[in-house]
Structure formats: structure tokens, C-alpha cells
PDB file of all heavy atoms in Angstrom:
ATOM      1  N   ALA A  16       0.835  -1.205   0.000  1.00  0.00           N
ATOM      2  CA  ALA A  16       0.000   0.000   0.000  1.00  0.00           C
ATOM      3  C   ALA A  16       0.864   1.247   0.000  1.00  0.00           C
ATOM      4  O   ALA A  16       0.589   2.220  -0.704  1.00  0.00           O
ATOM      5  CB  ALA A  16      -0.928  -0.005   1.220  1.00  0.00           C
ATOM      6  N   SER A  17       1.935   1.212   0.784  1.00  0.00           N
ATOM      7  CA  SER A  17       2.857   2.351   0.817  1.00  0.00           C
ATOM      8  C   SER A  17       3.493   2.578  -0.540  1.00  0.00           C
ATOM      9  O   SER A  17       3.664   3.704  -0.995  1.00  0.00           O
ATOM     10  CB  SER A  17       3.964   2.099   1.857  1.00  0.00           C
ATOM     11  OG  SER A  17       3.405   1.931   3.128  1.00  0.00           O
ATOM     12  N   MET A  18       3.840   1.480  -1.194  1.00  0.00           N
ATOM     13  CA  MET A  18       4.462   1.592  -2.507  1.00  0.00           C
ATOM     14  C   MET A  18       3.497   2.207  -3.513  1.00  0.00           C
ATOM     15  O   MET A  18       3.880   3.040  -4.345  1.00  0.00           O
ATOM     16  CB  MET A  18       4.899   0.214  -2.990  1.00  0.00           C
ATOM     17  CG  MET A  18       6.067  -0.349  -2.224  1.00  0.00           C
ATOM     18  SD  MET A  18       6.502  -1.975  -2.847  1.00  0.00           S
ATOM     19  CE  MET A  18       7.903  -2.328  -1.815  1.00  0.00           C
ATOM     20  N   ALA A  19       2.233   1.782  -3.444  1.00  0.00           N
ATOM     21  CA  ALA A  19       1.252   2.299  -4.396  1.00  0.00           C
ATOM     22  C   ALA A  19       1.107   3.807  -4.256  1.00  0.00           C
ATOM     23  O   ALA A  19       0.989   4.535  -5.241  1.00  0.00           O
ATOM     24  CB  ALA A  19      -0.093   1.613  -4.170  1.00  0.00           C
ATOM     25  N   LEU A  20       1.123   4.298  -3.017  1.00  0.00           N
ATOM     26  CA  LEU A  20       1.007   5.733  -2.802  1.00  0.00           C
ATOM     27  C   LEU A  20       2.203   6.477  -3.373  1.00  0.00           C
ATOM     28  O   LEU A  20       2.070   7.527  -3.998  1.00  0.00           O
ATOM     29  CB  LEU A  20       0.898   6.014  -1.289  1.00  0.00           C
ATOM     30  CG  LEU A  20      -0.429   5.605  -0.623  1.00  0.00           C
ATOM     31  CD1 LEU A  20      -0.324   5.759   0.878  1.00  0.00           C
ATOM     32  CD2 LEU A  20      -1.576   6.453  -1.168  1.00  0.00           C
ATOM     33  N   LEU A  21       3.389   5.919  -3.145  1.00  0.00           N
ATOM     34  CA  LEU A  21       4.596   6.580  -3.635  1.00  0.00           C
ATOM     35  C   LEU A  21       4.690   6.540  -5.146  1.00  0.00           C
ATOM     36  O   LEU A  21       5.142   7.478  -5.785  1.00  0.00           O
ATOM     37  CB  LEU A  21       5.839   5.920  -3.014  1.00  0.00           C
ATOM     38  CG  LEU A  21       6.175   6.427  -1.610  1.00  0.00           C
ATOM     39  CD1 LEU A  21       7.193   5.493  -0.971  1.00  0.00           C
ATOM     40  CD2 LEU A  21       6.692   7.843  -1.653  1.00  0.00           C
ATOM     41  N   LEU A  22       4.266   5.432  -5.730  1.00  0.00           N
ATOM     42  CA  LEU A  22       4.338   5.314  -7.178  1.00  0.00           C
ATOM     43  C   LEU A  22       3.373   6.266  -7.868  1.00  0.00           C
ATOM     44  O   LEU A  22       3.562   6.629  -9.032  1.00  0.00           O
ATOM     45  CB  LEU A  22       4.048   3.871  -7.598  1.00  0.00           C
ATOM     46  CG  LEU A  22       5.178   2.893  -7.312  1.00  0.00           C
ATOM     47  CD1 LEU A  22       4.691   1.464  -7.535  1.00  0.00           C
ATOM     48  CD2 LEU A  22       6.374   3.183  -8.186  1.00  0.00           C
ATOM     49  N   GLY A  23       2.336   6.679  -7.150  1.00  0.00           N
ATOM     50  CA  GLY A  23       1.387   7.611  -7.740  1.00  0.00           C
ATOM     51  C   GLY A  23       1.892   9.031  -7.759  1.00  0.00           C
ATOM     52  O   GLY A  23       1.304   9.913  -8.388  1.00  0.00           O
ATOM     53  N   ALA A  24       2.970   9.295  -7.050  1.00  0.00           N
ATOM     54  CA  ALA A  24       3.529  10.644  -7.004  1.00  0.00           C
ATOM     55  C   ALA A  24       4.744  10.748  -7.897  1.00  0.00           C
ATOM     56  O   ALA A  24       5.429   9.776  -8.145  1.00  0.00           O
ATOM     57  CB  ALA A  24       3.920  10.971  -5.557  1.00  0.00           C
ATOM     58  N   CYS A  25       5.023  11.933  -8.357  1.00  0.00           N
ATOM     59  CA  CYS A  25       6.210  12.150  -9.197  1.00  0.00           C
ATOM     60  C   CYS A  25       7.409  12.373  -8.298  1.00  0.00           C
ATOM     61  O   CYS A  25       7.313  13.008  -7.263  1.00  0.00           O
ATOM     62  CB  CYS A  25       6.018  13.369 -10.096  1.00  0.00           C
ATOM     63  SG  CYS A  25       4.710  13.132 -11.312  1.00  0.00           S
ATOM     64  N   SER A  26       8.537  11.868  -8.698  1.00  0.00           N
ATOM     65  CA  SER A  26       9.757  12.086  -7.941  1.00  0.00           C
ATOM     66  C   SER A  26      10.140  13.558  -8.002  1.00  0.00           C
ATOM     67  O   SER A  26      10.027  14.209  -9.033  1.00  0.00           O
ATOM     68  CB  SER A  26      10.892  11.237  -8.530  1.00  0.00           C
ATOM     69  OG  SER A  26      12.105  11.603  -7.929  1.00  0.00           O
ATOM     70  N   SER A  27      10.605  14.072  -6.853  1.00  0.00           N
ATOM     71  CA  SER A  27      11.019  15.472  -6.809  1.00  0.00           C
ATOM     72  C   SER A  27      12.433  15.662  -7.312  1.00  0.00           C
ATOM     73  O   SER A  27      12.904  16.768  -7.471  1.00  0.00           O
ATOM     74  CB  SER A  27      10.922  15.974  -5.357  1.00  0.00           C
ATOM     75  OG  SER A  27      11.785  15.207  -4.527  1.00  0.00           O
ATOM     76  N   LYS A  28      13.147  14.582  -7.559  1.00  0.00           N
ATOM     77  CA  LYS A  28      14.530  14.675  -8.003  1.00  0.00           C
ATOM     78  C   LYS A  28      14.604  15.023  -9.474  1.00  0.00           C
ATOM     79  O   LYS A  28      13.862  14.526 -10.275  1.00  0.00           O
ATOM     80  CB  LYS A  28      15.272  13.344  -7.766  1.00  0.00           C
ATOM     81  CG  LYS A  28      15.463  13.044  -6.312  1.00  0.00           C
ATOM     82  CD  LYS A  28      15.806  11.620  -6.110  1.00  0.00           C
ATOM     83  CE  LYS A  28      17.119  11.311  -6.536  1.00  0.00           C
ATOM     84  NZ  LYS A  28      18.006  11.109  -7.278  1.00  0.00           N
ATOM     85  N   GLU A  29      15.514  15.878  -9.820  1.00  0.00           N
ATOM     86  CA  GLU A  29      15.739  16.219 -11.221  1.00  0.00           C
ATOM     87  C   GLU A  29      17.215  16.058 -11.510  1.00  0.00           C
ATOM     88  O   GLU A  29      18.049  16.550 -10.790  1.00  0.00           O
ATOM     89  CB  GLU A  29      15.305  17.666 -11.511  1.00  0.00           C
ATOM     90  CG  GLU A  29      13.804  17.890 -11.388  1.00  0.00           C
ATOM     91  CD  GLU A  29      13.425  19.316 -11.749  1.00  0.00           C
ATOM     92  OE1 GLU A  29      14.333  20.097 -12.116  1.00  0.00           O
ATOM     93  OE2 GLU A  29      12.232  19.645 -11.665  1.00  0.00           O
ATOM     94  N   LYS A  30      17.520  15.388 -12.589  1.00  0.00           N
ATOM     95  CA  LYS A  30      18.904  15.209 -12.988  1.00  0.00           C
ATOM     96  C   LYS A  30      19.072  15.818 -14.373  1.00  0.00           C
ATOM     97  O   LYS A  30      18.789  15.191 -15.378  1.00  0.00           O
ATOM     98  CB  LYS A  30      19.276  13.730 -12.994  1.00  0.00           C
ATOM     99  CG  LYS A  30      19.315  13.124 -11.597  1.00  0.00           C
ATOM    100  CD  LYS A  30      19.832  11.716 -11.676  1.00  0.00           C
ATOM    101  CE  LYS A  30      20.087  11.136 -10.297  1.00  0.00           C
ATOM    102  NZ  LYS A  30      18.910  11.053  -9.481  1.00  0.00           N
ATOM    103  N   GLU A  31      19.528  17.071 -14.404  1.00  0.00           N
ATOM    104  CA  GLU A  31      19.610  17.791 -15.665  1.00  0.00           C
ATOM    105  C   GLU A  31      20.554  17.130 -16.655  1.00  0.00           C
ATOM    106  O   GLU A  31      20.378  17.217 -17.860  1.00  0.00           O
ATOM    107  CB  GLU A  31      20.068  19.234 -15.399  1.00  0.00           C
ATOM    108  CG  GLU A  31      19.083  20.025 -14.530  1.00  0.00           C
ATOM    109  CD  GLU A  31      19.600  21.421 -14.241  1.00  0.00           C
ATOM    110  OE1 GLU A  31      20.598  21.820 -14.883  1.00  0.00           O
ATOM    111  OE2 GLU A  31      19.017  22.117 -13.404  1.00  0.00           O
ATOM    112  N   SER A  32      21.549  16.448 -16.130  1.00  0.00           N
ATOM    113  CA  SER A  32      22.567  15.911 -17.019  1.00  0.00           C
ATOM    114  C   SER A  32      22.125  14.648 -17.747  1.00  0.00           C
ATOM    115  O   SER A  32      22.825  14.177 -18.622  1.00  0.00           O
ATOM    116  CB  SER A  32      23.838  15.602 -16.223  1.00  0.00           C
ATOM    117  OG  SER A  32      23.578  14.591 -15.294  1.00  0.00           O
ATOM    118  N   THR A  33      20.988  14.082 -17.385  1.00  0.00           N
ATOM    119  CA  THR A  33      20.598  12.814 -17.989  1.00  0.00           C
ATOM    120  C   THR A  33      20.277  12.954 -19.472  1.00  0.00           C
ATOM    121  O   THR A  33      20.241  11.967 -20.186  1.00  0.00           O
ATOM    122  CB  THR A  33      19.372  12.217 -17.263  1.00  0.00           C
ATOM    123  OG1 THR A  33      18.305  13.166 -17.312  1.00  0.00           O
ATOM    124  CG2 THR A  33      19.701  11.894 -15.830  1.00  0.00           C
ATOM    125  N   THR A  34      20.023  14.170 -19.922  1.00  0.00           N
ATOM    126  CA  THR A  34      19.715  14.367 -21.339  1.00  0.00           C
ATOM    127  C   THR A  34      20.965  14.646 -22.157  1.00  0.00           C
ATOM    128  O   THR A  34      20.900  14.745 -23.369  1.00  0.00           O
ATOM    129  CB  THR A  34      18.733  15.542 -21.514  1.00  0.00           C
ATOM    130  OG1 THR A  34      19.334  16.737 -20.994  1.00  0.00           O
ATOM    131  CG2 THR A  34      17.423  15.271 -20.776  1.00  0.00           C
ATOM    132  N   VAL A  35      22.097  14.792 -21.477  1.00  0.00           N
ATOM    133  CA  VAL A  35      23.346  15.098 -22.176  1.00  0.00           C
ATOM    134  C   VAL A  35      23.900  13.827 -22.811  1.00  0.00           C
ATOM    135  O   VAL A  35      24.013  12.801 -22.165  1.00  0.00           O
ATOM    136  CB  VAL A  35      24.376  15.698 -21.190  1.00  0.00           C
ATOM    137  CG1 VAL A  35      25.693  15.965 -21.913  1.00  0.00           C
ATOM    138  CG2 VAL A  35      23.832  16.975 -20.575  1.00  0.00           C
ATOM    139  N   ALA A  36      24.218  13.900 -24.069  1.00  0.00           N
ATOM    140  CA  ALA A  36      24.753  12.727 -24.766  1.00  0.00           C
ATOM    141  C   ALA A  36      26.237  12.599 -24.470  1.00  0.00           C
ATOM    142  O   ALA A  36      27.029  13.485 -24.786  1.00  0.00           O
ATOM    143  CB  ALA A  36      24.527  12.862 -26.265  1.00  0.00           C
ATOM    144  N   LEU A  37      26.612  11.509 -23.831  1.00  0.00           N
ATOM    145  CA  LEU A  37      28.017  11.236 -23.544  1.00  0.00           C
ATOM    146  C   LEU A  37      28.362   9.887 -24.146  1.00  0.00           C
ATOM    147  O   LEU A  37      27.572   8.951 -24.089  1.00  0.00           O
ATOM    148  CB  LEU A  37      28.260  11.189 -22.032  1.00  0.00           C
ATOM    149  CG  LEU A  37      28.102  12.494 -21.243  1.00  0.00           C
ATOM    150  CD1 LEU A  37      28.267  12.208 -19.772  1.00  0.00           C
ATOM    151  CD2 LEU A  37      29.104  13.539 -21.684  1.00  0.00           C
ATOM    152  N   ASP A  38      29.563   9.783 -24.695  1.00  0.00           N
ATOM    153  CA  ASP A  38      29.956   8.470 -25.192  1.00  0.00           C
ATOM    154  C   ASP A  38      30.700   7.718 -24.104  1.00  0.00           C
ATOM    155  O   ASP A  38      30.946   8.240 -23.022  1.00  0.00           O
ATOM    156  CB  ASP A  38      30.803   8.588 -26.470  1.00  0.00           C
ATOM    157  CG  ASP A  38      32.075   9.410 -26.264  1.00  0.00           C
ATOM    158  OD1 ASP A  38      32.700   9.259 -25.194  1.00  0.00           O
ATOM    159  OD2 ASP A  38      32.443  10.186 -27.173  1.00  0.00           O
ATOM    160  N   ASP A  39      31.024   6.474 -24.385  1.00  0.00           N
ATOM    161  CA  ASP A  39      31.687   5.637 -23.399  1.00  0.00           C
ATOM    162  C   ASP A  39      33.154   5.405 -23.747  1.00  0.00           C
ATOM    163  O   ASP A  39      33.736   4.397 -23.385  1.00  0.00           O
ATOM    164  CB  ASP A  39      30.962   4.285 -23.301  1.00  0.00           C
ATOM    165  CG  ASP A  39      29.519   4.448 -22.854  1.00  0.00           C
ATOM    166  OD1 ASP A  39      29.249   5.403 -22.112  1.00  0.00           O
ATOM    167  OD2 ASP A  39      28.678   3.638 -23.256  1.00  0.00           O
ATOM    168  N   VAL A  40      33.732   6.370 -24.455  1.00  0.00           N
ATOM    169  CA  VAL A  40      35.125   6.246 -24.864  1.00  0.00           C
ATOM    170  C   VAL A  40      36.040   6.486 -23.659  1.00  0.00           C
ATOM    171  O   VAL A  40      35.878   7.465 -22.930  1.00  0.00           O
ATOM    172  CB  VAL A  40      35.453   7.235 -25.994  1.00  0.00           C
ATOM    173  CG1 VAL A  40      36.944   7.184 -26.322  1.00  0.00           C
ATOM    174  CG2 VAL A  40      34.625   6.928 -27.231  1.00  0.00           C
ATOM    175  N   VAL A  41      36.976   5.598 -23.456  1.00  0.00           N
ATOM    176  CA  VAL A  41      37.928   5.727 -22.363  1.00  0.00           C
ATOM    177  C   VAL A  41      39.054   6.671 -22.778  1.00  0.00           C
ATOM    178  O   VAL A  41      39.632   6.525 -23.852  1.00  0.00           O
ATOM    179  CB  VAL A  41      38.503   4.347 -21.987  1.00  0.00           C
ATOM    180  CG1 VAL A  41      39.639   4.496 -20.985  1.00  0.00           C
ATOM    181  CG2 VAL A  41      37.405   3.453 -21.435  1.00  0.00           C
ATOM    182  N   ASN A  42      39.322   7.634 -21.919  1.00  0.00           N
ATOM    183  CA  ASN A  42      40.407   8.587 -22.157  1.00  0.00           C
ATOM    184  C   ASN A  42      41.161   8.773 -20.857  1.00  0.00           C
ATOM    185  O   ASN A  42      40.601   9.247 -19.864  1.00  0.00           O
ATOM    186  CB  ASN A  42      39.843   9.924 -22.657  1.00  0.00           C
ATOM    187  CG  ASN A  42      40.934  10.892 -23.094  1.00  0.00           C
ATOM    188  OD1 ASN A  42      42.041  10.883 -22.558  1.00  0.00           O
ATOM    189  ND2 ASN A  42      40.617  11.732 -24.072  1.00  0.00           N
ATOM    190  N   LYS A  43      42.434   8.412 -20.853  1.00  0.00           N
ATOM    191  CA  LYS A  43      43.211   8.465 -19.619  1.00  0.00           C
ATOM    192  C   LYS A  43      43.402   9.880 -19.104  1.00  0.00           C
ATOM    193  O   LYS A  43      43.803  10.084 -17.948  1.00  0.00           O
ATOM    194  CB  LYS A  43      44.570   7.790 -19.833  1.00  0.00           C
ATOM    195  CG  LYS A  43      45.473   8.511 -20.831  1.00  0.00           C
ATOM    196  CD  LYS A  43      46.797   7.779 -20.991  1.00  0.00           C
ATOM    197  CE  LYS A  43      47.721   8.511 -21.976  1.00  0.00           C
ATOM    198  NZ  LYS A  43      49.010   7.787 -22.144  1.00  0.00           N
ATOM    199  N   ASN A  44      43.121  10.885 -19.940  1.00  0.00           N
ATOM    200  CA  ASN A  44      43.259  12.271 -19.513  1.00  0.00           C
ATOM    201  C   ASN A  44      42.046  12.770 -18.725  1.00  0.00           C
ATOM    202  O   ASN A  44      42.086  13.859 -18.154  1.00  0.00           O
ATOM    203  CB  ASN A  44      43.482  13.180 -20.729  1.00  0.00           C
ATOM    204  CG  ASN A  44      44.820  12.900 -21.414  1.00  0.00           C
ATOM    205  OD1 ASN A  44      45.825  12.674 -20.741  1.00  0.00           O
ATOM    206  ND2 ASN A  44      44.827  12.888 -22.728  1.00  0.00           N
ATOM    207  N   ASN A  45      40.969  12.001 -18.708  1.00  0.00           N
ATOM    208  CA  ASN A  45      39.823  12.365 -17.880  1.00  0.00           C
ATOM    209  C   ASN A  45      40.189  12.232 -16.401  1.00  0.00           C
ATOM    210  O   ASN A  45      41.090  11.450 -16.054  1.00  0.00           O
ATOM    211  CB  ASN A  45      38.638  11.450 -18.194  1.00  0.00           C
ATOM    212  CG  ASN A  45      38.014  11.750 -19.543  1.00  0.00           C
ATOM    213  OD1 ASN A  45      37.962  12.907 -19.954  1.00  0.00           O
ATOM    214  ND2 ASN A  45      37.536  10.720 -20.227  1.00  0.00           N
ATOM    215  N   PRO A  46      39.548  13.001 -15.521  1.00  0.00           N
ATOM    216  CA  PRO A  46      39.877  12.915 -14.086  1.00  0.00           C
ATOM    217  C   PRO A  46      39.823  11.493 -13.542  1.00  0.00           C
ATOM    218  O   PRO A  46      40.604  11.117 -12.666  1.00  0.00           O
ATOM    219  CB  PRO A  46      38.805  13.798 -13.428  1.00  0.00           C
ATOM    220  CG  PRO A  46      38.418  14.765 -14.482  1.00  0.00           C
ATOM    221  CD  PRO A  46      38.509  14.016 -15.782  1.00  0.00           C
ATOM    222  N   SER A  47      38.907  10.697 -14.072  1.00  0.00           N
ATOM    223  CA  SER A  47      38.747   9.314 -13.614  1.00  0.00           C
ATOM    224  C   SER A  47      39.778   8.377 -14.208  1.00  0.00           C
ATOM    225  O   SER A  47      39.955   7.256 -13.734  1.00  0.00           O
ATOM    226  CB  SER A  47      37.353   8.810 -13.994  1.00  0.00           C
ATOM    227  OG  SER A  47      37.228   8.803 -15.415  1.00  0.00           O
ATOM    228  N   GLY A  48      40.428   8.820 -15.291  1.00  0.00           N
ATOM    229  CA  GLY A  48      41.332   7.935 -16.012  1.00  0.00           C
ATOM    230  C   GLY A  48      40.618   7.054 -17.001  1.00  0.00           C
ATOM    231  O   GLY A  48      41.233   6.227 -17.670  1.00  0.00           O
ATOM    232  N   ASP A  49      39.290   7.237 -17.113  1.00  0.00           N
ATOM    233  CA  ASP A  49      38.530   6.438 -18.089  1.00  0.00           C
ATOM    234  C   ASP A  49      37.404   7.275 -18.696  1.00  0.00           C
ATOM    235  O   ASP A  49      37.627   7.989 -19.667  1.00  0.00           O
ATOM    236  CB  ASP A  49      38.000   5.139 -17.455  1.00  0.00           C
ATOM    237  CG  ASP A  49      37.464   5.325 -16.051  1.00  0.00           C
ATOM    238  OD1 ASP A  49      36.385   5.916 -15.898  1.00  0.00           O
ATOM    239  OD2 ASP A  49      38.128   4.876 -15.089  1.00  0.00           O
ATOM    240  N   LEU A  50      36.209   7.249 -18.132  1.00  0.00           N
ATOM    241  CA  LEU A  50      35.087   7.963 -18.730  1.00  0.00           C
ATOM    242  C   LEU A  50      35.102   9.457 -18.400  1.00  0.00           C
ATOM    243  O   LEU A  50      35.556   9.859 -17.323  1.00  0.00           O
ATOM    244  CB  LEU A  50      33.769   7.362 -18.244  1.00  0.00           C
ATOM    245  CG  LEU A  50      33.495   5.901 -18.614  1.00  0.00           C
ATOM    246  CD1 LEU A  50      32.186   5.439 -17.980  1.00  0.00           C
ATOM    247  CD2 LEU A  50      33.447   5.725 -20.119  1.00  0.00           C
ATOM    248  N   ALA A  51      34.565  10.246 -19.322  1.00  0.00           N
ATOM    249  CA  ALA A  51      34.454  11.683 -19.092  1.00  0.00           C
ATOM    250  C   ALA A  51      33.473  11.970 -17.972  1.00  0.00           C
ATOM    251  O   ALA A  51      32.495  11.244 -17.790  1.00  0.00           O
ATOM    252  CB  ALA A  51      34.002  12.376 -20.379  1.00  0.00           C
ATOM    253  N   PRO A  52      33.695  13.037 -17.210  1.00  0.00           N
ATOM    254  CA  PRO A  52      32.727  13.400 -16.175  1.00  0.00           C
ATOM    255  C   PRO A  52      31.438  13.924 -16.796  1.00  0.00           C
ATOM    256  O   PRO A  52      31.422  14.356 -17.953  1.00  0.00           O
ATOM    257  CB  PRO A  52      33.451  14.499 -15.392  1.00  0.00           C
ATOM    258  CG  PRO A  52      34.403  15.103 -16.378  1.00  0.00           C
ATOM    259  CD  PRO A  52      34.847  13.968 -17.256  1.00  0.00           C
ATOM    260  N   LEU A  53      30.364  13.882 -16.034  1.00  0.00           N
ATOM    261  CA  LEU A  53      29.103  14.465 -16.475  1.00  0.00           C
ATOM    262  C   LEU A  53      29.262  15.977 -16.616  1.00  0.00           C
ATOM    263  O   LEU A  53      30.045  16.597 -15.891  1.00  0.00           O
ATOM    264  CB  LEU A  53      27.998  14.146 -15.464  1.00  0.00           C
ATOM    265  CG  LEU A  53      27.707  12.655 -15.252  1.00  0.00           C
ATOM    266  CD1 LEU A  53      26.890  12.447 -13.983  1.00  0.00           C
ATOM    267  CD2 LEU A  53      26.999  12.063 -16.464  1.00  0.00           C
TER     268      LEU A  53
END
């Protein structure tokens, strides 16, 4: 029942970067040493 109530509401979280197209090319010059940061 708790789940049903929560699923009926929209999440308040917004992730603006999710629409940004990033590739999965590994580049050792990135801060991570592999994938580019968001």
C-alpha cells in the first residue's frame, strides 16, 4: 500500500545531465582515467 502511494507521485529529483549525450570512450586524460565526467 505504501508503494502504491509513492508510485502515484512524481519524484522530486531532477537530474539535468541525464539528457546530455556522452559516449563511453575511455580517455586516460579524464579525471577518472577512463570515462568523461558528467
Side-chain angles (χ1 to χ4, degrees):
S17 300
M18 290 179 178
L20 289 172
L21 278 167
L22 286 170
C25 294
S26 171
S27 61
K28 292 163 72 288
E29 293 183 2
K30 292 186 172 62
E31 298 177 11
S32 64
T33 57
T34 60
V35 178
L37 293 175
D38 59 40
D39 299 330
V40 175
V41 172
N42 188 329
K43 65 180 181 181
N44 294 320
N45 288 325
S47 63
D49 41 72
L50 297 177
L53 299 164

